[in-house]
Amino acid sequence: MLEGVSKGHPLFHSGYFNVKWLLLRENPNFGFRVKLKKKIYIIIFGTETPAGKMFDVALLTMIILSVTVVILESVRPLRESYHDLFTNVEWIFTLVFTLEYLLRIYSAPNPRKYITSFFGIIDLLAILPTYMGLIFDQSTFLLTIRALRLLRIFRVFKLGRYLKEAAILVKALQLSIHKIIVFFGAVLTLVLILGSLLYLIEGEENGYTSIPQSVYWAIVTITTVGYGDIAPVTVLGKILASIAMLTGFSIIAVPTGIISVEISKAVRSEKKSRAKSCSDCGHDTHDNDAVYCKICGKKL
């Protein structure tokens, strides 16, 4: 394919499609097939062209509609009244998504890489349940996994710039994970103690039929959810419940504080890493547009 092209030729420094597309420019008879793959690739994988952006917006719209259909189908009165309509619409969506999946494989520079990628696996899972529904009942409800494909919106609407901020948040969570585990262990011990005490105080006659049931009450109470399906009856039980509720208000902000501190540290670290540092005196708090060190005057 590259016969007659030297190793110094720019084609050897281009990507898979760049090589073929540049060869097309030099040899118009190279083939209609490569031209077609290029056009499909630009529309399906790219968002720089109006056609590419229109395709992705249309795809997102269809994903939302297909997930909505699956959700509505789970409502029994609607399913009984419009079963045939839901089935037909779902098959239309599935066939469209199947065609899109096959076109992505066909036009991808590296089909195997796309198939094993995160989005490639999600794209496959988005169409499998309908075909599985021919064999297994109720599997079509798994089609709500199509909602994961909405992650493409980050690429379509150019939200990738927020990934840096997301990286800071992930770093903060990683730094605080040990503290959160210790905090979670302390809360788990607390609810075990409260549940066991209330089981002894209230007993089975008041609805606390077991320690797991009492621990469930303790979790609901200490997290200030308060379903009210189980409530203490005795005076001592109500006192213990009051202590649990006040404790819940006291500790609910602890993990937030831990993560907030780590986020602040991560932000400061990020700013410090971007700051210009003087190689002579080591001062590292210069402005981004600084040319000379404000301490020793050496050129940065």
Side-chain angles (χ1 to χ4, degrees), residues 9-22:
H9 195 281
L11 294 179
F12 282 94
H13 303 287
S14 304
Y16 172 81
F17 273 107
N18 287 339
V19 171
K20 289 191 172 183
W21 298 339
L22 288 172

Side-chain angles (χ1 to χ4, degrees), residues 40 64 107 117 122 129-130 152-153 160 170 196 198 212 244 246 284:
I40 294 173
I64 294 172
S107 63
S117 68
I122 294 300
T130 302
R152 293 184 187 279
I153 200 169
V170 170
S196 301
L198 209 72
L246 292 173
D284 59 359

Side-chain angles (χ1 to χ4, degrees), residues 98-145:
T98 302
L99 177 61
E100 178 236 347
Y101 179 68
L102 294 175
L103 287 175
R104 286 183 182 275
I105 295 175
Y106 172 75
S107 63
N110 189 336
R112 182 179 295 179
K113 185 176 180 181
Y114 163 71
I115 292 172
T116 56
S117 68
F118 172 77
F119 282 119
I121 294 172
I122 294 300
D123 290 345
L124 178 61
L125 292 177
I127 59 177
L128 277 183
T130 302
Y131 296 110
M132 291 173 61
L134 297 173
I135 305 173
F136 306 103
D137 291 335
Q138 304 299 322
S139 65
T140 52
F141 291 114
L142 296 175
L143 287 170
T144 49
I145 199 170

Side-chain angles (χ1 to χ4, degrees), residues 201-202 232-241:
I201 294 170
E202 295 292 330
V233 177
T234 65
V235 175
L236 189 57
K238 290 180 179 179
I239 292 174
L240 187 63

Side-chain angles (χ1 to χ4, degrees), residues 38-47 51-52 55-56 59 99-105 107 114 152 155:
K38 172 188 173 182
K39 193 168 185 179
I40 294 173
Y41 178 84
I42 291 174
I43 293 175
I44 291 182
F45 286 94
T47 58
F55 171 83
D56 277 344
L59 178 63
L99 177 61
E100 178 236 347
Y101 179 68
L102 294 175
L103 287 175
R104 286 183 182 275
I105 295 175
S107 63
Y114 163 71
R152 293 184 187 279
R155 178 170 57 85

